[in-house]
């Protein structure tokens, strides 16, 4: 999907921002950058901010009009920091990434980014199927254009990784230690219950929901085998102290 995305920067004033965009794109695995009538490009400031993403910068296509930039694109989305006079369907970057995942093979989506000072014109926004707004603080809504590209490119990357099973780290596969299996986990809970009865925290005649709540707490952590063993070791240490002081209970009762 990432190969189907074209980033279009319109009338960018600061070459540093173009470099910043190239870097963000390369970080996130995007490759197609199109510049519509940039004020200064190529420029050493762009190279400096690209910080190594120089091939991507060199391959950027420079055109004079938006029509040329949209050549071969089937879906167009425009990014905007603020509400416009005539409201358009506004989606979040995440929703936009899901739209991108649904692109038919071979079809391209252009994402438009506006001028640093004025954003996209209404005419440009009216070329778009959707508008994307990064949900910023309404009192301070405008991001630097390269930062806006970074956010959008990140969402595209996540969506693209999620659409291919096995690419995002998953519990149990990327984890350094095997997850505890159901039997080991059950043994932990049995042990915990026994020790809690031993220390008289759990009353077997009136257990209420204590074990249920503790199960939920531990299971929420999805413990691995070592973590379960550490817990079992900890419980065994308590059991040992209890066994060594069989009269602890009686003494406590005498104190009362
Ligand atoms: N002052 C301009 C903002 C320009 S910021 C205005 O009011 O429109 C430059 C570009 O960064 C915008 O055109 C847009 O492409 C992108 N951008 C900045 N903040 C954004 C946001 N919150 N959501 C989506 N895009 C944003």
């Amino acid at each position: 999907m990432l190969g189907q995305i074209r980033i279009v920067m319109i009338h960018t004033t600061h070459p540093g921002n173009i470099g910043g965009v190239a870097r963000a794109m390369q970080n996130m695995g995007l490759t197609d950058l199109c510049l519509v009538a940039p004020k200064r490009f190529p420029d050493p400031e762009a190279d400096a901010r690209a910080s190594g993403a120089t091939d991507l910068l060199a391959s950027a296509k420079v055109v004079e009009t938006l029509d040329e930039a949209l050549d071969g694109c089937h879906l167009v989305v425009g990014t905007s920091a603020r509400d416009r006079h005539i409201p358009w369907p506004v989606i979040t970057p995440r929703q936009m990434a899901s739209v991108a995942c649904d692109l038919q093979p071979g079809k391209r989506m252009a994402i438009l980014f506006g001028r640093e000072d004025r954003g996209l014109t209404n005419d440009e926004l009216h070329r778009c199927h959707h508008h994307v707004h990064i949900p910023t603080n309404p009192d301070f809504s405008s991001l630097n254009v390269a930062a806006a590209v970074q956010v959008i490119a990140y969402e595209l990357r996540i969506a693209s990784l999620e659409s291919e099973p096995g690419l995002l780290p998953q519990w149990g596969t990327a984890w350094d230690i095997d997850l505890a299996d159901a039997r080991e986990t059950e043994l932990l809970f049995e042990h915990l219950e026994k020790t809690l009865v031993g220390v008289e925290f759990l009353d077997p005649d009136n257990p209420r929901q204590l074990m249920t709540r503790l199960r939920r707490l531990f299971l929420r952590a999805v413990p691995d085998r070592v973590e379960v063993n550490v817990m079992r070791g900890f419980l065994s240490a308590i059991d040992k102290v209890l066994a060594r002081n069989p009269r602890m209970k009686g003494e406590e009762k005498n104190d009362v």
Side-chain angles (χ1 to χ4, degrees):
M1 172 269 263
L2 296 175
Q4 294 171 274
I5 306 295
R6 176 174 299 163
I7 299 294
V8 179
M9 299 184 74
I10 300 182
H11 293 192
T12 312
T13 310
H14 301 291
N17 282 333
I18 300 175
V21 165
R23 180 179 186 175
M25 286 177 65
Q26 187 143 331
N27 282 146
M28 295 298 125
L30 295 171
T31 49
D32 186 355
L33 174 60
C34 185
L35 308 171
V36 180
K39 198 162 180 196
R40 276 166 44 206
F41 187 80
D43 188 278
E45 256 183 73
D47 295 340
R49 281 279 302 280
S51 177
T54 34
D55 286 350
L56 199 147
L57 206 53
S59 72
K61 201 168 161 211
V62 182
V63 297
E64 277 311 305
T65 63
L66 181 54
D67 279 324
E68 290 168 88
L70 296 184
D71 187 37
C73 292
H74 292 78
L75 205 65
V76 184
V77 301
T79 54
S80 180
R82 58 192 159 95
D83 290 340
R84 299 304 174 121
H85 187 53
I86 298 180
W88 220 252
V90 178
I91 56 177
T92 63
R94 201 155 294 175
Q95 288 166 328
M96 177 220 62
S98 136
V99 169
C101 286
D102 290 340
L103 277 174
Q104 291 165 327
K107 304 278 190 271
R108 273 178 182 274
M109 174 164 126
I111 310 176
L112 314 187
F113 292 86
R115 303 149 186 80
E116 288 91 334
D117 57 345
R118 286 181 299 121
L120 293 169
T121 65
N122 285 336
D123 282 349
E124 286 156 357
L125 282 165
H126 295 168
R127 301 283 302 263
C128 300
H129 296 89
H130 305 291
H131 292 171
V132 181
H133 175 67
I134 300 165
T136 36
N137 173 358
D139 299 327
F140 196 65
S141 65
S142 173
L143 279 96
N144 164 269
V145 65
V149 171
Q150 179 72 77
V151 171
I152 299 281
Y154 171 74
E155 288 292 345
L156 289 165
R157 181 160 191 83
I158 289 286
S160 130
L161 292 175
E162 280 173 348
S163 68
E164 292 173 53
L167 287 184
L168 267 191
Q170 300 288 332
W171 276 107
T173 54
W175 201 239
D176 57 343
I177 292 158
D178 282 347
L179 294 187
D181 65 22
R183 197 181 55 86
E184 290 162 332
T185 311
E186 256 345 271
L187 288 175
L188 168 64
F189 290 131
E190 278 171 28
H191 194 163
L192 182 62
E193 187 167 5
K194 203 177 99 236
T195 306
L196 289 172
V197 171
V199 297
E200 296 187 346
F201 188 70
L202 174 61
D203 178 358
D205 297 327
N206 183 23
R208 295 191 288 184
Q209 295 300 320
L210 181 63
M211 281 314 294
T212 310
R213 293 196 179 281
L214 289 172
R215 275 177 172 274
R216 188 171 67 172
L217 171 67
F218 280 101
L219 290 173
R220 227 163 49 219
V222 197
D224 66 34
R225 188 164 273 169
V226 169
E227 289 160 344
V228 163
N229 284 341
V230 167
M231 279 306 299
R232 297 281 311 262
F234 172 55
L235 294 169
S236 296
I238 296 173
D239 296 342
K240 230 188 262 171
V241 174
L242 281 179
R244 237 189 277 138
N245 301 286
R247 290 187 308 121
M248 253 172 93
K249 275 200 261 177
E251 279 167 12
E252 262 173 39
K253 281 198 179 121
N254 288 343
D255 286 347
V256 178

